[in-house]
């Protein structure tokens, strides 16, 4: 069918070079398992990469001996997540009182985090990361998945046979579609526009307000040092209609919501500067087939609420490596062993999705339909009893079942994070 087809083999083929894929590849390689990670893009740079790294992931990087290298990346820290809702400020999550070393969210461009993990992977003889490689279809022996057919960066078609194929290729997963696994999808009220807004003065954090919700509008901002990465929420499916308005009208609305002046927003010159993320959210009832497994957004695409997608994907990867390294060393991984990954990760994933759906109903939908006129009752309680903000920080930043690096992947604690504040540190 394909003339001159190149055929290769590995023990594990990971499809997708996002946080789950590169982390899984690194962990399995440290277990001495040959692993090939296939990433369809030529670089890690992308619009709409989740950039928040939670305390559970920061601790994991320490365990892997990567904490010091991560701390050296340009990043900012958010100690308290402050929301302004219908004109009232509330600290919705207080990370500064969490147990452990890391008492903040780290905000770092995901491309930098992936570059760090990839560099650590390349130090392992068993690790291979191939960029610009697009998976076309799965290889099968009867009902069993035996690898993938893909097109490499030079356009050459190759076949890679593998004892296990892991889908880490995101919310629009090719592998999931090839497996015939269907998502149970949840209705979401929003899509997201992403824009870069320069700071008036370097180091200015605008009082540390992370999110703003008013009747008719909502936005979330993340500190990027000399600019804010700003996610402006729009009603689901309304992108084409709203873009018929002038860019000046959008800048006026965003400025009124965020308190930003015309000069600052002049950097948003046209609709080309406003990128669309179509939000989808759902979960698979079954994450595996014989010879294949889905994790991260391939198994459970998350809402962007809380920025937890990266961290759940990483936790899935750690669980998969912990449970599957032994069977992979011995050869074939039985379907019951693949099913164990879902059982281990189901509760943490489902709890976060339930929380996200609650925030959609409590804040996002009322903001977008114009009915949000006061602080919702649950957040009134958080404002009245600040200790509750520590609970929300724990559930979001650490979670119900935080994963630890398996023993075979750990490296010296001498590589623990350097002390000192990160760039643009928010301690509100």
């Amino acid at each position: 069918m394909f003339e001159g087809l190149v055929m290769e083999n590995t023990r594990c083929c990971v499809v997708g070079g996002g946080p789950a894929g590169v982390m899984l590849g690194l962990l399995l390689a440290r277990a001495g398992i040959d692993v090939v990670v296939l990433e369809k893009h030529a670089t890690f740079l992308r619009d709409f990469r989740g950039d928040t790294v939670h305390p559970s992931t920061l601790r994991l990087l320490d365990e892997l001996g990567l904490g010091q290298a991560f701390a050296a990346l340009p990043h900012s820290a958010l100690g308290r997540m402050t929301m302004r809702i219908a004109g009232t400020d509330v600290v919705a999550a207080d990370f500064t009182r969490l147990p452990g070393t890391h008492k903040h969210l780290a905000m770092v461009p995901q491309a930098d985090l992936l570059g760090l993990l990839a560099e650590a992977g390349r130090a392992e003889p068993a690790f291979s990361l191939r960029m610009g490689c697009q998976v076309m279809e799965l290889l099968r022996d009867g009902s069993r998945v035996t690898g993938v057919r893909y097109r490499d960066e030079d356009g050459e078609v190759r076949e890679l046979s593998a004892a296990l194929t892991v889908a880490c290729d995101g919310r629009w997963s090719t592998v999931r579609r090839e497996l015939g696994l269907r998502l149970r999808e949840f209705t979401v009220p929003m899509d997201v526009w992403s824009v870069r807004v320069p700071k008036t003065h370097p180091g200015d954090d605008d009082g540390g307000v992370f999110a703003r919700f008013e009747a008719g509008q909502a936005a979330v901002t993340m500190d990027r040092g000399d600019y804010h990465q700003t996610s402006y929420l729009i009603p689901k499916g309304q992108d084409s209609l709203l873009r018929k308005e002038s860019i000046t009208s959008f800048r006026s609305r965003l400025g009124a919501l965020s308190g930003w002046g015309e000069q600052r927003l002049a950097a948003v010159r046209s609709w080309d500067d406003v990128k669309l993320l179509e939000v989808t959210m759902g979960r698979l009832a079954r994450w595996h087939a014989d010879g294949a497994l889905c994790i991260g957004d391939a198994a459970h695409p998350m809402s962007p609420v809380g920025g937890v997608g990266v961290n759940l994907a990483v936790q899935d990867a750690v669980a998969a490596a912990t449970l599957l390294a032994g069977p992979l060393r011995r050869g074939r991984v039985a379907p019951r062993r693949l099913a164990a990954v879902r059982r281990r990760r189901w509760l943490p994933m489902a709890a976060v999705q339930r929380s996200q759906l609650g925030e959609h109903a409590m804040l996002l939908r009322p903001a977008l339909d114009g009915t949000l006129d006061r602080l919702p009752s649950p957040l009134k309680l958080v404002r009245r009893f600040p200790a509750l903000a520590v609970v929300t920080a724990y559930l979001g930043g650490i979670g119900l079942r935080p994963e630890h690096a398996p023993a075979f992947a750990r490296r010296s604690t001498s590589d623990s994070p350097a002390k000192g504040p990160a760039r643009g540190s928010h301690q509100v």
Side-chain angles (χ1 to χ4, degrees):
M1 182 176 177
F2 295 97
E3 188 175 351
L5 188 69
V6 178
M7 290 178 284
E8 310 163 292
N9 64 80
T10 187
R11 189 59 60 91
C12 181
C13 171
V14 177
V15 181
V22 182
M23 178 62 78
L24 179 59
L26 168 62
L27 296 176
L28 292 179
R30 285 189 173 183
I33 295 164
D34 286 336
V35 57
V36 175
V37 181
L38 300 176
E39 166 54 41
K40 68 179 180 180
H41 294 95
T43 74
F44 289 134
L45 295 173
R46 213 94 74 249
D47 291 325
F48 294 110
R49 283 287 204 181
D51 292 345
T52 52
V53 181
H54 289 218
S56 58
T57 303
L58 294 172
R59 187 213 64 239
L60 175 66
L61 291 170
D62 289 349
E63 294 169 351
L64 297 174
L66 301 175
Q68 196 169 62
F70 178 86
L73 297 176
H75 69 282
S76 58
L78 184 73
R80 296 182 177 91
M81 187 179 292
T82 302
M83 297 181 177
R84 183 166 296 154
I85 302 167
T88 301
D89 286 0
V90 58
V91 177
D94 184 356
F95 300 95
T96 66
R97 297 166 62 186
L98 289 179
T101 303
H102 300 289
K103 302 177 185 297
H104 63 276
L105 298 183
M107 297 183 181
V108 60
Q110 192 179 118
D112 291 350
L113 172 63
L114 293 175
L116 172 67
L117 296 175
E119 183 179 0
R122 292 186 186 102
E124 305 296 330
F127 178 91
S128 176
L129 171 62
R130 302 180 187 178
M131 306 296 289
C133 294
Q134 175 70 58
V135 169
M136 303 161 63
E137 59 186 332
L138 296 176
L139 304 177
R140 297 179 185 271
D141 181 3
S143 62
R144 176 173 169 75
V145 175
T146 58
V148 301
R149 181 174 292 120
Y150 72 97
R151 194 179 302 276
D152 70 14
E153 60 182 344
D154 298 319
E156 190 170 24
V157 176
R158 296 171 175 264
E159 285 188 355
L160 180 64
S161 64
L164 175 65
T165 300
V166 184
C168 301
D169 51 342
R171 61 189 58 230
W172 312 114
S173 171
T174 297
V175 175
R176 184 181 68 216
R177 184 184 68 242
E178 284 281 305
L179 291 173
L181 300 176
R182 308 191 87 179
L183 284 173
R184 174 196 172 191
E185 295 194 52
F186 298 108
T187 300
V188 296
M190 79 291 191
D191 288 321
V192 177
W193 282 346
S194 181
V195 295
R196 289 188 175 196
V197 180
K199 291 185 178 182
T200 306
H201 305 288
D204 179 17
D205 67 3
D206 294 325
V209 176
F210 179 81
R212 294 168 173 84
F213 299 90
E214 303 289 346
Q217 293 197 95
V220 177
T221 60
M222 290 185 285
D223 187 354
R224 288 290 177 268
D226 57 356
Y227 71 93
H228 278 127
Q229 187 68 42
T230 303
S231 296
Y232 184 88
L233 279 58
I234 62 172
K236 184 69 180 170
Q238 296 298 301
D239 173 68
S240 299
L241 178 64
L242 292 173
R243 285 178 188 261
K244 293 179 180 178
E245 300 177 356
S246 69
I247 194 67
T248 303
S249 175
F250 169 60
R251 288 200 303 255
S252 296
R253 293 200 310 274
L254 180 57
L257 178 64
S258 302
W260 293 333
E262 291 183 10
Q263 182 178 0
R264 189 168 181 179
L265 288 165
V268 186
R269 297 178 298 275
S270 73
W271 286 113
D272 291 338
D273 296 319
V274 181
K275 310 300 183 182
L276 172 68
L277 170 66
E278 295 184 60
V279 176
T280 183
M281 182 179 178
R283 64 176 71 149
L284 292 175
R286 179 165 57 90
W287 295 12
H288 76 283
D290 193 4
L293 174 69
C294 296
I295 62 173
D297 272 357
H300 48 77
M302 308 297 291
S303 164
V305 166
V308 296
V310 169
N311 303 279
L312 276 177
V314 166
Q315 299 279 305
D316 285 358
V318 177
T322 301
L323 291 171
L324 304 180
L328 276 170
R329 285 195 197 97
R330 295 188 291 272
R332 178 173 172 173
V333 183
R336 62 178 178 78
R337 198 66 174 170
L338 299 176
V341 177
R342 174 197 172 276
R343 288 195 300 271
R344 180 164 172 151
R345 296 303 305 157
W346 182 263
L347 178 60
M349 174 276 298
V352 170
Q353 286 193 332
R354 179 178 290 275
S355 174
Q356 290 181 326
L357 291 170
E359 191 162 337
H360 290 178
M362 176 180 67
L363 275 179
L364 273 59
R365 200 178 301 276
L368 293 173
D369 67 18
T371 61
L372 182 66
D373 58 0
R374 62 177 63 89
L375 195 66
S377 296
L379 288 172
K380 287 181 181 177
L381 284 174
V382 173
R383 193 164 186 261
R384 184 175 179 184
F385 303 104
L388 293 175
V390 183
V391 176
T392 59
Y394 186 92
L395 293 175
I398 297 177
L400 294 182
R401 183 168 186 171
E403 300 286 346
H404 289 267
F408 58 75
R410 294 186 178 231
R411 295 296 181 265
S412 171
T413 55
S414 63
D415 291 328
S416 59
K419 301 298 181 182
R423 182 190 70 188
S425 180
H426 291 309
Q427 297 296 330
V428 184

